[in-house]
Amino acid sequence: MSQPVTPAPVAPAEDAVRAALATVDDPEIRKPITDLGMVESVTVGADGAVRVGVLLTVAGCPMKAELSRGVTEAVSRVPGVTAVDVHLGVMSDAQRSELRTTLRGDAPANEIPFAQPGSRTRVYAVASGKGGVGKSSVTVNLAAALAQKGLSVGVVDADIYGFSVPRMLGVTGKPTQVDQMIMPPIAHDVKVISIGMFTPGNTAVVWRGPMLHRALQQFLADVFWGDLDVLLMDLPPGTGDIAISVAQLVPSAELLVVTTPQLAAREVAERAGSIALQTHQQIVGVVENMSWLELPDGSRMELFGSGGGQAVADSLAASTGTRVPLLGQIPIDQTVREGGDAGTPVVLSDPDSPASTALRGVADALAARQRSLVGKSLGLTPAR
Ligand code: ADP
């Protein structure tokens, strides 16, 4: 009698391994590693052991452990694979340059993708009249809430006096550079670039107008943002040069004004918003922050007065002749500050708090807006 035979294990086909590799995205670039020229070699042994050579964009790539793990997991799932050995190498200059062309096409260096006629990215410049009204807190929470809705989101922290955005989003990594492209760190699914990442040891830098303009130009043109749905720019408080720079660099950027109910804040916020008049930018709306404190008995204590946000919206509507809605009122809530200090925005750490609900309401309003065609060429040709 013959013995039952266990079939000899069949070694996986190289194609199956490559197909599995195509499901692995580079953690920074967020595109399949197979499309980025990062898979250098695939060797499949008769025993089912697979060796994958992966090329990192730069030697010190902060994401290499994550990348190795992703490759190992994907290849292990292929039937017949018995072992996975990931071998990491580094791209040559020529390969990096090729990668840059893959990502950016023939777009000239210094070209700002968001300023191009076909751009589908909505750019919101978040402005306030004075510091401390919660502009950065609102920015990071809107970014996190929009990313959670599945949108692709980036934040530029251009607040030279504060640069608090990285801390509030819990970003510790530094950007990496690939052939003149800057790869932004990602936190809570939000791509982040801060002026603070380019100043040694968080030192205060005296940023004068022209320097700031150049830095902003670089953030917008040289950072690899990918296809963003929304870019939020946290501007320094006040009516300074940078708002003008934003208007010049990305004429389609719209202003989101953050204020508190306080009369003094209201007046300066109106002044910040009135820049839009000179630069012909649209104002998407006003967010009133620190609107009230909810007491244990459910009543509201209006620490900074009331009505400021609506007054700013009305006044900006009157001066611009456009509709300027009050998009939301965010209560004072300890969890907002705690979330910021801990690096997890309150919309993620405490999603049911009243502040989170209000912030998500603003994010929903921004997400629902259609790309404006104002000032855009429709590419029409005259009928004959
Ligand atoms: P800005 O960017 O306008 O200077 P920040 O976002 O840095 O303001 O906020 C200033 C301080 O106020 C921070 O400590 C922040 O955590 C806190 N804060 C902002 N909004 C709220 C809020 N709604 N409730 C409680 N604390 C807040």
Side-chain angles (χ1 to χ4, degrees):
M1 254 185 66
S2 62
Q3 291 289 313
V5 204
T6 10
V10 180
E14 187 183 317
D15 282 357
V17 174
R18 288 197 181 266
L21 289 170
T23 66
V24 181
D25 282 355
D26 175 76
E28 270 180 326
I29 305 175
R30 307 235 161 161
K31 288 190 190 297
I33 54 171
T34 43
D35 290 354
L36 300 174
M38 295 174 68
V39 177
E40 186 187 28
S41 60
V42 175
T43 330
V44 183
D47 57 353
V50 177
R51 183 179 186 281
V52 185
V54 175
L55 293 176
L56 301 170
T57 50
V58 287
C61 176
M63 296 290 176
K64 57 183 171 195
E66 196 178 332
L67 188 58
S68 279
R69 198 167 47 243
V71 168
T72 307
E73 277 171 16
V75 175
S76 306
R77 281 195 292 269
V78 176
V81 170
T82 52
V84 185
D85 174 25
V86 181
H87 182 82
L88 298 177
V90 181
M91 284 186 175
S92 65
D93 285 349
Q95 286 165 324
R96 263 193 293 273
S97 165
E98 212 168 292
L99 170 64
R100 183 178 185 281
T101 312
T102 306
L103 295 176
R104 304 266 326 224
D106 293 329
N110 294 337
E111 181 178 279
I112 296 175
F114 315 113
Q116 303 312 306
S119 170
R120 297 178 52 79
T121 307
R122 300 206 69 110
V123 181
Y124 296 116
V126 188
S128 68
K130 59 172 197 158
V133 301
K135 176 177 51 59
S136 301
S137 306
V138 168
T139 305
V140 297
N141 275 287
L142 291 180
L146 288 164
Q148 201 181 31
K149 289 172 75 75
L151 275 70
S152 170
V153 183
V155 176
V156 169
D157 179 12
D159 187 345
I160 32 164
Y161 308 112
F163 34 83
S164 43
V165 165
R167 177 176 47 80
M168 288 181 172
L169 280 170
V171 174
T172 46
K174 291 269 179 200
T176 47
Q177 190 158 357
V178 179
D179 194 58
Q180 293 178 21
M181 266 187 318
I182 301 169
M183 299 294 169
I186 301 174
H188 307 295
D189 269 340
V190 175
K191 293 182 174 164
V192 190
I193 278 291
S194 169
I195 209 150
M197 294 171 182
F198 298 85
T199 57
N202 255 340
T203 42
V205 174
V206 185
W207 290 88
R208 302 227 311 273
M211 261 163 83
L212 210 51
H213 185 89
R214 278 220 314 279
L216 205 55
Q217 150 88 40
Q218 219 195 339
F219 288 172
L220 294 168
D222 296 353
V223 171
F224 178 69
W225 293 105
D227 297 322
L228 291 185
D229 294 308
V230 177
L231 179 71
L232 293 162
M233 302 179 69
D234 189 7
L235 302 189
T239 53
D241 300 338
I242 199 137
I244 313 263
S245 286
V246 170
Q248 284 171 353
L249 295 168
V250 192
S252 61
E254 296 169 278
L255 281 188
L256 179 66
V257 178
V258 179
T259 186
T260 68
Q262 208 174 357
L263 183 64
R266 184 201 300 181
E267 285 164 357
V268 281
E270 281 166 14
R271 238 178 298 145
S274 69
I275 281 214
L277 262 187
Q278 300 159 34
T279 56
H280 307 291
Q281 282 178 304
Q282 287 194 35
I283 302 175
V284 58
V286 175
V287 175
E288 184 187 85
N289 188 30
M290 309 191 183
S291 297
W292 56 75
L293 177 69
E294 194 170 305
L295 300 178
D297 66 2
S299 63
R300 291 175 174 183
M301 189 164 148
E302 292 172 330
L303 286 175
F304 296 116
S306 68
Q310 189 62 57
V312 172
D314 292 347
S315 144
L316 290 173
S319 56
T320 57
T322 57
R323 204 179 80 84
V324 178
L326 176 61
L327 293 171
Q329 292 177 289
I330 322 296
I332 298 175
D333 192 332
Q334 196 175 327
T335 60
V336 174
R337 185 199 44 78
E338 287 169 351
D341 288 349
T344 305
V346 68
V347 291
L348 303 179
S349 62
D350 200 347
D352 297 324
S353 69
S356 294
T357 307
L359 284 159
R360 245 191 340 268
V362 178
D364 288 346
L366 295 182
R369 295 182 73 237
Q370 293 295 309
R371 190 83 189 82
S372 158
L373 290 175
V374 176
K376 294 239 175 283
S377 160
L378 293 176
L380 302 179
T381 41
R384 285 172 192 267

